[in-house]
């Protein structure tokens, strides 16, 4: 029974309430929603402050007074987020308790209660949308105010029309037959559908491709962030490998293959963007393969995939041809998302009876995803555990021992593989603490954190979508639904989405929420599959309130297709070249003239590792320049690494954002030896 289904067909006497029966899992889920929500809200309000003090003590880090994104720790908000994560588990426990106690009710009254809860839930979702639409986001540090509307009224009207069309089609027997015939698998449809998916992915990811002469024309946000993504790869090319010498902010493993591609095909912006876009394309193909497996048809999988693709690559700023979007925000795609989405595809294959057949291989892949980026990797690992537990039926505790052993084997194997990689390339075992360096800066010390406003809004709707996915998986597991694939993926998407929500919860900027859209779209699409199947199987084919909400939400995803770029506009964009701002960064000539080949130095600029690579020297800075080192602790770490490598020189721009650095170097025995007119200065350790 689907979560949105009120009741199955029952005898007339039962409908009239003449004969008590046992509550079904779906009814328990809806009945338990309000008391569980009330209990959760009380825990969030009452337990948030003391739990925050206990779980998030002072970091002990010392920030430079001029550091951008000054520390704003949010222990109470973080603790409340952790409590919110327990909501689906609370609801799952309620369902389990109800099934065990075998509570008896009469159908007619309980159907009314369930419907009332569903209507109340829908009204709350509408309220969240209204609050978001009216809210004005204010960032005092930047003296900016803006009203962020993710989905405009025209989009909502179009989404409602799409939902009506789908509902009408499901209610019409002739339309259902025609649709079923169209969805029937054949070799020609498989080839054509896959070709369309590949073409759509390629078209969207053309927006991510740039070259040395075109990156200067990109959106300002992309231009400002690009050095940080690029320099993580140049750190690897410069011999300062992630997880060994360098703390990567976005991805600790992806720089290895990207650096390999740059060595093979040329060191530059073009190779970097094409390599990262290729990884994103592979992740999207994995999602397409997952949807095709879920739907049992290439054409149906394509119809599910295209709206997901469009929503995942949501455009935040125009113009269309040179956009600021998730597709060219490399810190999100592929550095954070690619691994989890590929893992979801492996989970889908496993649940569908294909290889990998042993769970240990899934945990090996999950371990690699964690070692690449803990913020998204740990939720992906938890999601994999949930998918395997929920897909096995109820109760899940009987399989915990076997699953724990498989997880241990797979995770140890992942660590062993990475250890072999770092030993072969750097002669050192990985330093796993580097994986959490930025997590400590952000989550514990509060660097760049922003309070969540509004308290309810689009973020709440996204959260409720994940709760619905986990709730639906719970009901299906309790009913021992034979389709393990859909059950497991619903659990996977819900747990993963909830977990990565910490990224927005910490830095609650309106643009950051769009980084959550891919996970949200995954859960919504899977819920749509469930809703459509349930409606089609019902004798009268009438959707319930939550099923209508699913159809409408999918309509919103479909509307994102209006943002699709045109290939010819991208070709034109790539022909418009300008100065090469990243090929030879400012200060490179000065640094080259003041160093010897192979010399170890510290370069505190955003592209310091590229400068070092071009000049044939080694930049020992374990971060991407001074702006990624907001604490005195990181500065001291950099100086220790410099001394350990036998280096004596530090290069930095004067003046720069961290105005304290020149004076701090002088206090630690460094003297300014030279300075160029543009501001690059050399500080050398005294003899």
């Amino acid at each position: 029974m689907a979560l949105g289904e009120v009741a199955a067909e029952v005898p007339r006497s039962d409908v009239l309430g003449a004969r008590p029966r046992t509550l079904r899992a779906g009814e328990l889920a809806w009945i338990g929603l309000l008391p569980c929500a009330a209990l959760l809200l009380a825990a969030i309000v009452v337990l948030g402050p003391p739990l925050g003090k206990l779980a998030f003590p002072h970091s002990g880090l010392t920030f430079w007074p001029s550091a951008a994104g000054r520390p704003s720790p949010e222990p109470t908000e973080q603790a409340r987020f952790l409590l919110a994560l327990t909501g689906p588990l609370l609801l799952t426990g309620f369902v389990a308790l109800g099934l065990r106690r075998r509570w008896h009710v009469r159908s007619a009254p309980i159907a009314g209660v369930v419907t009332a809860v569903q209507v109340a839930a829908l009204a709350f979702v509408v309220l969240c949308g209204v609050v978001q639409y009216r809210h004005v986001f204010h960032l005092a540090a930047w003296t900016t105010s803006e009203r962020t509307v993710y989905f405009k009224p025209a989009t909502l009207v179009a989404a409602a029309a799409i939902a009506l069309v789908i509902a009408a089609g499901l209610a019409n027997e002739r339309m259902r037959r025609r649709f079923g015939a169209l969805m029937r698998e054949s070799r020609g449809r498989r080839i054509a559908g896959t070709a369309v998916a590949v073409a759509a992915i390629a078209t969207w990811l053309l927006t991510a491709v740039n070259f040395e002469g075109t990156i200067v024309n990109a959106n300002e946000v992309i231009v400002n962030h690009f050095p940080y993504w690029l320099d993580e790869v140049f750190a690897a090319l410069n011999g300062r490998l992630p997880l060994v010498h360098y703390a990567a902010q976005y991805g600790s493993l992806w720089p290895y293959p990207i650096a390999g591609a740059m060595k093979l095909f040329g060191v530059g912006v073009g190779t970097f963007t094409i390599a990262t876009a290729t990884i994103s394309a592979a992740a999207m193909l994995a999602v397409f393969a997952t949807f095709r497996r879920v739907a049992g048809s290439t054409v149906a999988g394509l119809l599910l995939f295209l709206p997901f693709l469009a929503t995942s690559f949501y455009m935040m700023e125009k113009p269309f041809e040179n956009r600021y979007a998730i597709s060219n925000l490399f810190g999100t795609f592929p550095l954070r998302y690619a691994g989890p989405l590929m893992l979801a595809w492996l989970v889908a294959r496993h649940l569908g009876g294909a290889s990998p057949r042993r769970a240990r291989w899934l945990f090996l892949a999950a371990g690699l995803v964690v070692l690449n980026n803990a913020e998204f990797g740990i939720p992906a690992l938890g999601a994999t555990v949930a998918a395997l537990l929920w897909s096995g039926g109820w109760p899940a505790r009987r399989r915990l021992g076997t699953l724990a052993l498989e997880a241990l084997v797979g995770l140890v194997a992942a660590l062993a593989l990475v250890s072999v990689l770092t030993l072969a390339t750097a002669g050192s075992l990985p330093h796993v603490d580097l994986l959490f360096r930025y997590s400590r800066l952000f989550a514990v010390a509060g660097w760049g954190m922003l309070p969540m406003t509004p308290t309810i809004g689009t973020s709440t709707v996204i959260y409720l979508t994940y709760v619905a996915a986990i709730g639906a998986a719970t009901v299906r597991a309790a009913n021992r639904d034979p389709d393990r694939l859909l059950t497991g993926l619903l659990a996977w998407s819900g747990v993963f989405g909830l977990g990565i929500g910490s990224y927005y919860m910490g830095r609650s900027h309106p643009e950051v929420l769009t980084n959550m859209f891919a996970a949200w779209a995954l859960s919504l699409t899977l819920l749509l599959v469930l809703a459509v199947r349930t409606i089609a199987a019902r004798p009268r084919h009438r959707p319930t309130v939550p099923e209508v909400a699913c159809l409408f939400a999918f309509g919103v995803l479909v509307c994102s297709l209006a943002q699709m770029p045109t290939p010819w506009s991208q070709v034109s964009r790539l022909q418009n070249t300008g100065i090469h701002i990243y090929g030879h960064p400012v200060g490179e000539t000065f640094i080259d003239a003041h160093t010897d080949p192979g010399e170890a130095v510290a370069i505190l600029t955003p592209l310091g590792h590229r400068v070092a690579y071009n000049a044939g020297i080694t930049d020992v800075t374990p971060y991407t320049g001074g702006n990624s080192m907001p604490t005195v602790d990181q500065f001291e770490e950099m100086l220790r690494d410099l001394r350990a490598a036998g280096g004596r020189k530090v290069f930095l721009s004067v003046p720069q954002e961290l105005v304290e650095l020149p004076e701090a170097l002088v206090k630690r025995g460094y003297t300014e030896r030279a300075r160029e007119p543009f501001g690059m200065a050399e500080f050398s350790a005294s003899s």
Side-chain angles (χ1 to χ4, degrees):
M1 181 187 297
L3 182 59
E5 192 172 355
V6 177
E9 291 298 310
V10 291
R12 179 171 178 80
S13 59
D14 193 16
V15 173
L16 295 175
R19 186 173 59 202
R21 61 170 177 79
T22 304
L23 274 173
R24 301 181 179 91
E27 294 165 335
L28 283 166
W30 283 111
I31 292 171
L33 183 62
L34 293 184
C36 287
L39 181 60
L40 181 63
L41 181 60
I44 287 173
V45 172
V46 175
L47 299 180
L51 180 60
K53 292 180 181 179
L54 180 65
F56 300 97
H58 190 273
S59 66
L61 298 175
T62 303
F63 284 80
W64 299 108
S66 63
R70 298 188 66 177
S72 302
E74 300 174 346
T76 298
E77 187 171 289
Q78 289 173 291
R80 286 172 171 167
F81 172 76
L82 293 178
L83 290 169
L85 296 183
T86 66
L89 294 179
L90 189 63
L91 185 60
T92 298
F94 183 89
V95 173
L97 177 64
L99 291 175
R100 177 174 294 182
R101 294 294 180 87
R102 300 182 64 82
W103 291 324
H104 288 77
V105 296
R106 298 183 183 276
S107 290
I110 205 63
V113 171
V114 169
T115 301
V117 173
Q118 293 173 348
V119 171
L122 181 60
F124 179 70
V125 168
V126 172
L127 174 63
C128 290
V130 172
V131 170
Q132 180 70 58
Y133 187 81
R134 301 181 62 181
H135 177 71
V136 176
F137 176 79
H138 179 67
L139 189 58
W142 296 347
T143 63
T144 59
S145 297
E146 56 184 287
R147 188 163 65 94
T148 302
V149 179
Y150 299 102
F151 307 107
K152 297 180 180 179
T155 299
L156 302 181
V157 171
I162 293 169
L164 286 173
V165 169
I166 297 174
L170 289 170
N172 188 290
E173 184 177 354
R174 180 181 299 178
M175 292 297 295
R176 289 199 310 275
R177 286 202 304 267
R178 289 183 176 178
F179 186 78
L182 179 63
M183 297 302 107
R184 194 171 297 120
E185 190 75 343
S186 68
R187 185 172 181 272
R189 288 172 180 164
R190 184 166 57 251
I191 294 173
T194 302
V196 172
V198 170
I201 293 170
T203 300
W204 234 286
L205 286 172
L206 275 175
T207 64
V209 174
N210 270 295
F211 300 100
E212 296 285 1
T214 64
I215 185 63
V216 68
N217 300 321
N219 181 280
E220 181 182 3
V221 179
I222 300 299
V223 172
N224 291 338
H225 282 78
F226 199 84
Y228 298 92
W229 307 323
L230 183 63
D231 216 45
E232 289 194 354
V233 177
F234 270 101
L237 289 168
N238 194 224
R240 310 304 292 179
L241 300 175
L243 292 180
V244 180
H245 317 98
Y246 180 83
Q249 183 173 348
Y250 301 101
S252 294
L253 294 184
W254 283 124
Y256 285 90
I258 296 172
M262 292 177 74
K263 282 189 174 182
L264 286 174
F265 301 108
V267 175
V269 169
T271 307
F272 171 79
T273 58
I274 292 172
T276 49
T278 300
I279 297 171
S280 294
M284 283 299 175
L285 281 173
V287 176
F288 170 64
T290 300
F291 286 156
R292 184 173 63 180
R293 185 175 290 274
V294 170
S297 161
T298 299
V299 175
L302 180 66
L303 294 177
L304 296 173
F305 172 71
L306 292 178
F308 168 86
L309 175 69
T311 307
S312 298
F313 290 157
Y314 183 88
M315 181 176 67
M316 290 170 279
E317 287 185 12
K318 296 179 179 178
F320 279 92
E321 65 276 7
N322 209 356
R323 63 186 60 195
Y324 165 36
I326 303 300
S327 57
N328 52 18
L329 194 66
F330 295 122
T332 301
F333 267 100
L335 298 178
R336 285 188 173 101
Y337 259 118
L341 292 181
M342 292 176 181
L343 175 60
W345 168 63
L346 291 176
V347 170
R349 289 181 56 84
H350 173 82
L351 296 178
S355 60
R357 298 185 184 277
R358 298 293 297 271
R360 64 188 58 176
W361 298 110
L362 297 179
F363 287 108
L364 187 153
L368 295 177
V369 172
V370 172
L371 290 170
N372 176 67
N373 181 279
E375 290 175 325
F376 280 45
I378 292 176
L381 171 61
T384 301
V385 173
L388 295 175
L389 288 175
W390 264 250
S391 63
W394 199 274
R397 64 179 182 273
R398 297 173 183 172
R399 303 183 304 281
L400 284 175
T402 302
L403 191 61
L405 180 61
E406 291 286 296
L408 179 63
V409 171
L411 295 175
V412 169
L415 182 59
L417 277 179
V418 174
S419 298
V420 170
L421 173 65
T422 58
L423 283 169
T425 55
S428 170
L429 289 172
H431 304 305
V432 179
D433 63 300
L434 290 174
L435 188 65
F436 301 97
R437 189 64 54 86
Y438 280 99
S439 297
R440 185 185 180 199
L441 279 174
F442 286 102
V444 180
W447 184 42
M449 301 280 267
L450 295 171
M452 184 178 292
T453 58
T455 305
I456 62 172
T458 301
S459 62
T460 313
V461 176
I462 293 175
Y463 168 81
L464 292 175
T465 303
Y466 301 141
V467 173
I470 297 173
T474 298
V475 171
R476 291 170 62 83
N479 291 334
R480 298 189 179 277
D481 193 284
D483 186 357
R484 298 177 61 244
L485 174 59
L486 183 56
T487 301
L489 287 180
L490 283 166
W492 195 99
S493 69
V495 172
F496 175 68
L498 286 176
I500 68 170
S502 63
Y503 182 56
Y504 171 73
M505 181 279 305
R507 185 167 177 78
S508 305
H509 191 281
E511 288 182 357
V512 175
L513 186 61
T514 62
N515 289 238
M516 307 293 102
F517 280 6
W520 181 48
L522 179 62
S523 285
L524 276 179
T525 305
L526 293 171
L527 286 169
L528 174 83
V529 172
L530 177 59
V532 167
R533 289 181 180 176
T534 306
I535 296 169
R538 192 174 293 130
R540 294 186 178 182
H541 311 295
R542 293 179 181 174
T544 61
V545 172
E547 289 162 355
V548 168
C550 283
L551 299 182
F552 174 79
F554 185 73
V556 172
L557 303 190
V558 172
C559 290
S560 296
L561 288 167
Q563 297 182 349
M564 184 173 184
T566 57
W568 50 89
S569 68
Q570 295 306 304
V571 172
S572 176
R573 175 182 66 83
L574 294 173
Q575 292 174 342
N576 182 20
T577 59
I579 59 174
H580 294 196
I581 57 174
Y582 296 143
H584 296 281
V586 174
E588 181 179 318
T589 302
F590 176 84
I591 294 173
D592 192 17
H594 289 78
T595 55
D596 298 320
E599 184 177 357
V601 301
I603 305 174
L604 305 187
T605 62
L607 279 170
H609 291 285
R610 178 160 200 179
V611 170
Y613 180 84
N614 292 345
I617 58 179
T618 300
D619 178 13
V620 302
T621 309
Y623 304 94
T624 299
N627 293 339
S628 295
M629 300 163 49
T631 68
V632 178
D633 310 77
Q634 292 170 290
F635 179 75
E636 299 289 359
E637 177 190 12
M638 177 271 296
L639 292 179
R640 288 195 299 270
D641 288 352
L642 181 61
R643 288 191 292 267
R648 299 169 55 84
K649 299 175 183 176
V650 178
F651 294 90
L652 72 160
S653 297
V654 181
Q656 63 156 4
E657 289 187 25
L658 293 175
V659 298
E660 300 89 356
L661 291 189
E663 183 181 352
L665 285 169
V666 172
K667 287 182 177 179
R668 288 158 178 79
Y670 287 78
T671 304
E672 184 178 332
R673 301 293 187 184
R675 183 184 295 197
E676 67 169 353
F678 295 106
M680 185 64 67
E682 174 201 340
F683 286 77
S684 297
S686 303
S687 300

